[in-house]
């Protein structure tokens, strides 16, 4: 195992869902299309908690409003990870970086994150990063962009997946968006989709996804492969099963159970039918996340 893939482990992880499609019952927090999750890691002789913001939803004003209610100081965020190009995961980036206001802040993403990504349904529109989310604007704020297809170890116990290997048959198929390659308009496989892996002492892996366009089963298998850790405690985030067939939903849940995933925390683009299937198979080990949802691993 290389140094890059030697993930290590942490003692404890606190998770805040800062933004999500659903705000929760009788909640003062705001919902917005997209997702943003703050990870706060403890242990490993860290002098202070290390904080990673995973995705930034689409609206920085709503995101920062929720941070204030959750008593999260954006200036204490130590790194930002972007899961993929779509506007509902990148739209809040510039506003959030201005609030963090930290020189040399690592911003980690896939090299293709700034590509053209468009849809023709119901009309021609951009689904990719917003107009102000550019390399120049990010670097002008003093941030350090790390654009790589490889896994990146952020702190002991936490690393990105890098570009995810796609091996399952039932998780193939795009979402009807297109990109430009060598001047040609082609279906976008969203190869820039990445996830965040956390290895927690005595628990195993907790894997965070934005939309899981690579397939949540592919993401879990890839995470196990690159870390060498066989125990998966939980998957957490959006799994993009909203418009999936009943067969794909069923196979997804069956495979996660077969792998040994112990808990499921899902929201955003997962979809009602998939939530129901997860609940049927996982019972109290299934959790529907929302803005303001917090938990400790």
């Amino acid at each position: 195992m290389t140094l890059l893939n030697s993930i290590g482990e942490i003692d404890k992880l606190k998770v805040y869902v800062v933004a999500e499609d659903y705000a929760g019952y009788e909640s003062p927090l705001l919902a917005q299309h997209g997702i943003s999750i703050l990870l706060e890691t403890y242990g490993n002789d860290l002098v202070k908690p290390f904080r990673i913001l995973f995705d930034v939803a689409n609206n920085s004003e709503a995101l920062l409003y929720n941070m204030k209610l959750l008593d999260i100081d954006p200036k204490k965020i130590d790194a930002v990870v972007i899961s993929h190009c779509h506007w509902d995961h990148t739209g809040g980036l510039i506003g959030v970086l201005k609030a963090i206001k930290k020189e040399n802040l690592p911003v980690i993403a896939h090299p293709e994150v700034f590509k053209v990504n468009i849809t023709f349904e119901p009309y021609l529109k951009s689904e990719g990063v917003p107009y102000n989310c550019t390399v120049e604007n990010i670097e002008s704020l003093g941030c350090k962009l790390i654009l790589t297809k490889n896994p990146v170890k952020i702190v002991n116990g936490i690393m990105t997946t890098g570009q995810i290997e796609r091996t399952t048959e039932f998780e193939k198929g795009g979402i009807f968006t297109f990109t430009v390659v060598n001047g040609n308009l082609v279906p976008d496989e969203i190869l820039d989709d990445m996830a965040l892996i956390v290895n927690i002492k005595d628990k195993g892996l907790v894997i965070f996804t934005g939309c899981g366009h690579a397939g949540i089963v592919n993401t879990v298998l890839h995470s196990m492969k690159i870390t060498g850790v066989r125990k998966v405690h939980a998957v957490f985030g959006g799994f993009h099963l909203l418009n999936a067939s009943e067969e794909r939903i069923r196979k997804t849940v069956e495979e996660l159970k077969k792998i040994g995933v112990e808990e499921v925390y899902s929201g955003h683009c997962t979809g009602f039918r998939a939530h129901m299937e997860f609940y049927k198979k996982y019972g109290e080990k299934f959790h529907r996340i929302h803005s303001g949802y917090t938990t400790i691993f």
Side-chain angles (χ1 to χ4, degrees), residues 79-293:
V80 176
V81 176
I82 298 299
S83 67
H84 66 293
C85 69
H86 287 150
W87 64 277
D88 52 327
H89 298 259
T90 60
L93 185 58
I94 298 300
V96 167
L97 294 181
K98 287 179 178 177
I100 295 173
K101 203 175 181 180
K102 185 178 290 185
E103 287 191 7
N104 296 315
L105 177 82
V107 178
I108 305 165
H110 189 281
E112 294 180 13
V113 75
F114 297 104
K115 67 186 173 184
V116 171
N117 183 262
I118 60 174
T119 183
F120 298 101
E121 299 294 338
Y123 50 82
L124 174 62
K125 61 178 179 177
S126 173
E127 293 289 329
V129 297
Y131 74 95
N132 67 337
C133 189
T134 64
V135 170
E136 293 75 18
N137 283 350
I138 293 167
E139 291 182 340
S140 74
L141 296 171
C143 301
K144 287 292 183 183
L145 265 173
I146 303 172
L147 302 177
T148 178
K149 296 180 181 181
N150 302 113
V152 176
K153 185 173 179 177
I154 302 172
V155 68
N156 200 40
I158 303 182
M159 66 189 296
T160 65
T161 58
Q163 186 167 312
I164 295 165
E165 186 178 4
R166 303 182 181 197
T167 57
T168 63
E169 285 296 324
F170 66 91
E171 291 183 302
K172 290 182 178 177
I175 59 167
F176 307 109
T177 59
F178 293 80
T179 191
V180 177
V181 178
N182 298 324
N184 297 309
L185 198 60
V186 298
D188 193 346
E189 297 179 46
I190 318 178
L191 296 178
D192 52 306
D193 182 72
M194 304 194 304
L196 196 58
I197 314 168
V198 184
N199 188 28
I200 303 171
K201 185 177 181 180
D202 299 328
K203 286 184 180 290
L205 301 181
V206 178
I207 301 164
F208 293 84
T209 63
C211 276
H213 287 299
I216 185 59
V217 176
N218 279 330
T219 302
V220 170
L221 293 173
H222 179 81
S223 299
M224 295 167 70
K225 179 179 178 180
I226 66 172
T227 62
V229 179
R230 307 305 300 171
K231 186 178 181 184
V232 183
H233 179 66
V235 289
F236 197 120
F239 308 143
H240 216 277
L241 296 167
L242 184 66
N243 297 315
S245 66
E246 296 291 343
E247 181 183 17
R248 176 172 174 174
I249 291 171
R250 177 181 56 78
K251 284 186 176 179
T252 297
V253 179
E254 286 177 355
E255 287 301 311
L256 291 178
K257 290 290 285 187
K258 189 183 297 183
I259 290 167
V261 175
E262 295 172 345
E263 294 193 68
V264 172
Y265 296 76
S266 71
H268 183 40
C269 54
T270 304
F272 178 77
R273 292 175 301 121
H275 284 152
M276 290 300 296
E277 189 67 20
F278 279 121
Y279 178 70
K280 283 194 293 185
K281 294 295 192 298
Y282 277 88
E284 292 183 357
K285 297 293 184 180
F286 165 75
H287 313 270
R288 172 63 169 97
I289 62 175
H290 55 79
S291 292
Y293 185 94

Side-chain angles (χ1 to χ4, degrees), residues 10-11 40-51 155-156:
I10 62 171
D11 294 331
E40 192 172 82
T41 173
Y42 295 83
N44 302 320
D45 299 321
L46 290 170
V47 176
K48 62 181 181 64
F50 192 91
R51 298 177 178 89
V155 68
N156 200 40

